[in-house]
Amino acid sequence: MDDELLQDFLVEASEILEKLNEQLVELEQRPADRELLNAIFRGFHTIKGGAGFLNIDPMVIVCHRSEDIFNMLRNGERQVSAELMDVILPVLDVVNGQFERLRAGETPEAVDPGLIAKLEVIIKGNAAPKAAAPVKPKSPSAITPPATPPTNTELDFTDEEFESLLDALGNSSGSMPTSSPPASQPGTGTTAPNSDISDDEFDNLLDQLHGKGKFTGLPKPETTPVGITPTTEAAAPADVNDQAAASESISEDEFEALLDHLHGKGQFKAEIIPATTPAPPPPVPRAKPVPSDTTPALVADKDKDKDKDKAAAQDTTVRVDTKRLDDIMNMVGELVLVRNRIERLGASINNEEMVKAVANLDLVTTDLQMAVMKTRMQPIKKVFGRFPRVVRDLARSLKKEIRLEMIGEETDLDKNLVEALADPLVHLVRNSVDHGIEMPDERLKSGKQREGTVVLTAAQEGDHILLTIEDDGRGIDAQKVRAKAIEKNMMDAETATRMSDKEIFNLIFLPGFSTKDQISDISGRGVGMDVVKTRIAQLNGSVEIDSTLGKGSRISIKLPLTLAIMPTLMVQLDRQQFALPLVNVNEIFDLDLTKTNVVDGQLVVVVRGRTLPIYYLRRWLIKGNSAAGLPREGHVVVVQTGTHKVGFLVDQLIGQEEVVIKPLGALLHGTAGCSGATITGDGGIAVILDVPGLMRRYAAHR
């Protein structure tokens, strides 16, 4: 198997699979959408064709069966139903699994025979009846169409197509009565009740196919290759011309031979010719027979037009390896560091021309940084696209009625963030469906519609992305959460009472916490939400819950646009600089430490009526300063950590600065409270602090 061809196939077919995942769920809501049916059919057909070219037989088998089913749906032989979709949707899971094995360099396993059997039941359960034997003509000058529709194969033309041929003939020759007239008269254009066609009508058909008086007879099968039509009378065999001259009619076998000769063996398909249109020009000979799994000619022409438009669009794009983009992003990061260094030097020189040059450099570097970031961006639709299927399957398993709405699918996010967000968002959506949305009867009793709504929203806010998962379900009972926290000995009753509802809601993210009374396959084990919180924190993001009992809940996730360059607050402890991720910073204020208090051995200060713990970072991070005394005044940086806010006391505030994250070396890798390092504007090295890690490492062992 050619590796380059395989990689191209994986890329293109993966995009088709993503679309199919959305289209199949859409089809259940719009079963009569013929354009959607055609798109799904073409999707399976394209994947089957590529897999067949690469000899991936297991994928060909399952896609071919699915293609057959959607061909039946297009032809009206089956109807879309939830039960049918329950069989079709697992096909995508199977094909996705096959793709994963191909990406890993492995051969896909054979498809589960049970799934193939279910698909076969759908295909055979509504197959067309077998064709009856054709009725023999009553006279040599008449040809009778089959009495019943032929078998559902591409080698025969259907009864409707044959009638279309008769209609076209009748429209061009004068009249074709729709009622049963008397027996046909010689030389007239009418038909007898047995639907036979007269000699004149058949001659008219030949004139339409070849032009008035241009048909010169049939070639001998043993002497003339199939598909080649004689262009002159001299080219036609003499004995055939003699037979045509001796008799004005041909037999049924000769008629079928004519159709086979003109269109290829069994490939004739009737076309409707408008009555007002004069005799058409001779048809263009086909270079090869039409495969049995192609769409009708009209749809094929439209597809060709679409393919041309798509090809024109592809000419303006280039496929680039993501590693190359990562390398460019790293170089831009280094340029940002150089810019920061030159800015510091320019400020110290205090030369007007130098200041202008540095300002220009800053502008160009910022534009370049944004341009490179955009090349790494992907629409969050890549993540959102999986949720219609997730919600649909969960709703059916829970016997709930749920509608999913998605807003801002085109919002761009760093490629690495898009991939990392998939699992946390699945947890949150499943939680909304299971915990949030009520059963239909319960919703009716509370004055709501039977159908619940889950809304996924993405929007860019400055240098951050805001994602929300909102539902109109039962909401969160703050009192129940308080009681559960006390029951699990997570806090005492007094502490729980002092906490606001918003702080109580955030307890849901603690490990092992769940208000679900019954454990199910979906949720209730107290796992998942704490994993979500941890994963989002690793992405330098934050997550919050807001809820109104009886009306619904809203989960908000705030993330940086990229993981490569991070906005930070630079602070100084002793003579060393540290970087605090700006996403964790809530506010900054100067503090007179004489106004602080000590409660249970913890330094605290009252801010707007609430107690805020204070930690002197110098004691944690500067060697030999674990017992350093407090200064009389200091700067306090309020940071968010989990469900709590704490204040970090620092010696000096340097300011906000964009930094490029550099991984720690092997010797320092895994150091608690440190997520990386960066080069500062003055050429020094600053450690990037991990706020949750700091609290776990130092505050817990105070």
Side-chain angles (χ1 to χ4, degrees), residues 510 533 537 580-581 584 602-604 612-617 620-621 637-649 671-675 688-702:
L510 295 178
K533 180 82 174 180
L580 281 167
N584 296 122
Q602 172 63 53
L603 183 68
V604 297
L612 180 73
I614 300 293
Y615 298 96
Y616 192 15
L617 282 186
W620 289 357
L621 301 175
V637 181
V638 180
V639 297
Q640 181 87 30
T641 170
T643 59
H644 303 286
K645 291 180 181 179
V646 299
F648 285 160
L649 181 63
T671 302
C674 300
S675 60
I688 301 173
L689 298 178
D690 171 24
V691 175
L694 277 177
M695 297 302 296
R696 287 193 301 269
R697 171 66 177 84
Y698 297 102
H701 299 84
R702 181 177 50 84

Side-chain angles (χ1 to χ4, degrees), residues 485-533:
I486 296 170
E487 176 188 328
K488 290 179 174 289
N489 295 321
M490 292 181 171
M491 61 185 65
D492 56 45
E494 184 180 353
T495 303
T497 303
R498 289 200 305 266
M499 295 177 68
S500 66
D501 285 353
K502 195 165 186 178
E503 291 172 329
I504 286 293
F505 295 150
N506 284 319
L507 293 176
I508 293 172
F509 291 112
L510 295 178
F513 190 92
S514 177
T515 58
K516 192 80 170 178
D517 296 325
Q518 295 180 346
I519 293 176
S520 68
D521 292 336
I522 298 170
S523 62
R525 290 182 169 80
V527 297
M529 296 301 280
D530 62 314
V531 175
V532 169
K533 180 82 174 180

Side-chain angles (χ1 to χ4, degrees), residues 517-643:
D517 296 325
Q518 295 180 346
I519 293 176
S520 68
D521 292 336
I522 298 170
S523 62
R525 290 182 169 80
V527 297
M529 296 301 280
D530 62 314
V531 175
V532 169
K533 180 82 174 180
T534 302
R535 186 64 181 131
I536 291 175
Q538 291 172 347
L539 299 175
N540 300 318
S542 61
V543 57
E544 292 183 352
I545 299 179
D546 197 7
S547 181
T548 302
L549 187 62
K551 292 187 177 180
S553 303
R554 176 187 175 98
I555 301 175
S556 302
I557 301 172
K558 193 175 182 182
L559 292 162
L561 282 175
T562 179
L563 294 177
I565 298 176
M566 178 192 299
T568 64
L569 176 66
M570 300 297 293
V571 300
Q572 187 167 312
L573 302 172
D574 196 8
R575 292 182 299 276
Q576 189 171 339
Q577 294 186 23
F578 294 87
L580 281 167
L582 209 57
V583 69
N584 296 122
V585 177
N586 283 73
E587 62 177 312
I588 303 170
F589 61 85
D590 292 331
L591 176 65
D592 181 355
L593 292 175
T594 60
K595 298 181 180 179
T596 59
N597 299 290
V598 178
V599 178
D600 294 333
Q602 172 63 53
L603 183 68
V604 297
V605 65
V606 177
V607 180
R608 292 185 289 274
R610 299 188 63 83
T611 302
L612 180 73
I614 300 293
Y615 298 96
Y616 192 15
L617 282 186
R618 187 168 179 171
R619 293 175 177 175
W620 289 357
L621 301 175
I622 303 300
K623 186 177 180 179
N625 281 255
S626 57
L630 293 173
R632 292 184 57 84
E633 294 181 351
H635 308 283
V636 175
V637 181
V638 180
V639 297
Q640 181 87 30
T641 170
T643 59

Side-chain angles (χ1 to χ4, degrees), residues 111-134:
V111 182
D112 179 12
L115 177 61
I116 297 297
K118 291 179 182 179
L119 297 175
E120 292 286 359
V121 167
I122 297 175
I123 295 170
K124 295 179 179 178
N126 213 7
K130 293 183 178 179

Side-chain angles (χ1 to χ4, degrees), residues 323-341:
K323 184 180 182 304
R324 185 168 298 178
L325 293 179
D326 291 340
D327 292 341
I328 295 173
M329 192 65 187
N330 289 335
M331 288 188 284
V332 170
E334 297 296 334
L335 182 60
V336 169
L337 295 178
V338 174
R339 177 201 66 185
N340 294 343
R341 174 69 172 154

